[in-house]
Amino acid sequence: MTRHFLRDDDITPSEQTEILDLALELKADRWSQKPLAGPQTVAVIFDKSSTRTRVSFAVGIADLGGVPLIISTANSQLGGKETPKDTARVLERMVSAIVWRTYGQMGLEEMANGTTVPVINALSDDFHPCQLLADLLTIREHKGKLAGLTLTFIGDGACNMAQSYLLAGATAGMHVRIASPDGYSPNEQVVADARARAKQTDGSVSILTDPAAAASDADVIVTDTWVSMGKEEEKSARLDSLAAYRVDERLMAQAKPDAAFMHCLPADRGFEVSADVIDGPQSIIWDEAENRLHAQKALMVWLLERV
């Protein structure tokens, strides 16, 4: 049965570990696996602008022996005259996998239900699971483990990154804290799903409003842009509501002395994070960005083995 990766808990804890183990192997020996030799083609579809996602998938597909076919929905029938399901049924006759960076999660689910090739969520409004594989890989490299660590997300708890941290962190057995103001809390069902997964892994989930309390004794501090794509009209209100949730040196001082700082990028220095933190010695954002390549390659190899 074809496996898809649409949200972080589509894989079990042991499967997550398998993928991260494979990512480390591929990082150490970058051209060791060629499952897309032929070359086979992978469709990489973009509804939203992108830097890291576009480059990491294009390079990763090439590393695996394949050809990336970059498609803009503005220049295709998808989202216009054609449904995701119908598009998927056409693409599966020609490509080995489909990667889609989009808005609504429902479109990804419809596409996956309509195809026999793996569909990968390269970002949706609800989740960013490929980024989380890269983030977990980075934490594991720097901390030596995942299970038992405390990871704190500060900022907009309703954003895709916060919700993916809940699911992926719980899957990894981490203690995940989300600190956000009223009105910016994660989806209640996502929180419930994360808590159910945490029961399996001895992890935990905490939803807080006090950023200092959330950061206390944390191993990793994370934030994300306060104004995601599609939210630009809310910028002024968001900057006001989230002003107390900026990650700066004072907030980092609440965490462990060796705490790492992460941000999926792009970052608005001076807003969600101060320049002295994101450019400082605790920041591991460049390793995090590079690891998009290695984690996504591992994910593609893992999924292709299950077709």
Side-chain angles (χ1 to χ4, degrees), residues 151-184:
L151 181 147
T152 295
F153 180 95
I154 307 286
D156 179 5
C159 76
N160 52 13
M161 283 299 296
Q163 297 197 151
S164 272
Y165 271 115
L166 284 169
L167 295 177
T171 298
M174 302 179 80
H175 302 294
V176 183
R177 302 171 182 166
I178 305 293
S180 56
D182 292 335
Y184 291 82

Side-chain angles (χ1 to χ4, degrees), residues 116-129:
T116 57
V117 300
V119 175
I120 297 172
N121 178 0
L123 177 144
S124 70
D125 288 344
D126 291 338
F127 306 106
H128 200 353

Side-chain angles (χ1 to χ4, degrees), residues 133-153:
L133 287 177
D135 288 7
L136 294 179
L137 178 63
T138 308
I139 295 167
R140 189 167 132 178
E141 286 181 315
H142 282 266
K143 298 295 183 180
K145 65 176 185 175
L146 294 171
L149 295 181
T150 297
L151 181 147
T152 295
F153 180 95

Side-chain angles (χ1 to χ4, degrees), residues 74-94:
N75 298 315
S76 72
Q77 301 294 350
L78 179 60
K81 294 182 178 180
E82 193 163 65
T83 65
K85 184 174 182 179
D86 286 352
T87 296
R89 294 186 68 181
V90 172
L91 290 177
E92 71 178 3
R93 304 291 185 98
M94 307 178 196

Side-chain angles (χ1 to χ4, degrees), residues 6-216:
L6 308 184
R7 47 184 277 169
D8 307 81
D9 56 353
D10 280 345
I11 53 177
T12 67
S14 62
E15 289 171 342
Q16 184 190 76
T17 299
E18 285 179 31
I19 294 168
L20 295 177
D21 287 346
L22 180 56
L24 288 172
E25 292 175 17
L26 291 173
K27 186 171 183 177
D29 191 355
R30 182 167 162 178
W31 294 280
S32 60
Q33 295 211 34
K34 300 287 184 181
L36 292 170
Q40 299 175 51
T41 300
V42 175
V44 189
I45 307 169
F46 290 93
D47 292 355
K48 297 183 175 185
S49 59
S50 169
T51 298
R52 279 150 293 277
T53 298
R54 183 184 299 266
V55 173
S56 57
F57 268 110
V59 173
I61 291 162
D63 282 1
L64 297 176
V67 173
L69 175 62
I70 307 297
I71 301 171
S72 168
T73 47
N75 298 315
S76 72
Q77 301 294 350
L78 179 60
K81 294 182 178 180
E82 193 163 65
T83 65
K85 184 174 182 179
D86 286 352
T87 296
R89 294 186 68 181
V90 172
L91 290 177
E92 71 178 3
R93 304 291 185 98
M94 307 178 196
V95 306
S96 296
I98 302 169
V99 179
W100 191 10
R101 181 179 174 94
T102 187
Y103 291 91
Q105 185 75 13
M106 288 182 63
L108 282 156
E109 293 170 358
E110 180 184 340
M111 179 171 280
N113 286 334
T115 185
T116 57
V117 300
V119 175
I120 297 172
N121 178 0
L123 177 144
S124 70
D125 288 344
D126 291 338
F127 306 106
H128 200 353
C130 288
Q131 179 68 58
L132 259 292
L133 287 177
D135 288 7
L136 294 179
L137 178 63
T138 308
I139 295 167
R140 189 167 132 178
E141 286 181 315
H142 282 266
K143 298 295 183 180
K145 65 176 185 175
L146 294 171
L149 295 181
T150 297
L151 181 147
T152 295
F153 180 95
I154 307 286
D156 179 5
C159 76
N160 52 13
M161 283 299 296
Q163 297 197 151
S164 272
Y165 271 115
L166 284 169
L167 295 177
T171 298
M174 302 179 80
H175 302 294
V176 183
R177 302 171 182 166
I178 305 293
S180 56
D182 292 335
Y184 291 82
S185 299
N187 178 277
E188 291 182 0
Q189 186 58 57
V190 173
V191 174
D193 291 344
R195 284 182 169 145
R197 179 58 63 90
K199 287 182 179 179
Q200 302 171 19
T201 63
D202 293 324
S204 66
V205 167
S206 301
I207 309 301
L208 308 168
T209 56
D210 183 348
S216 177

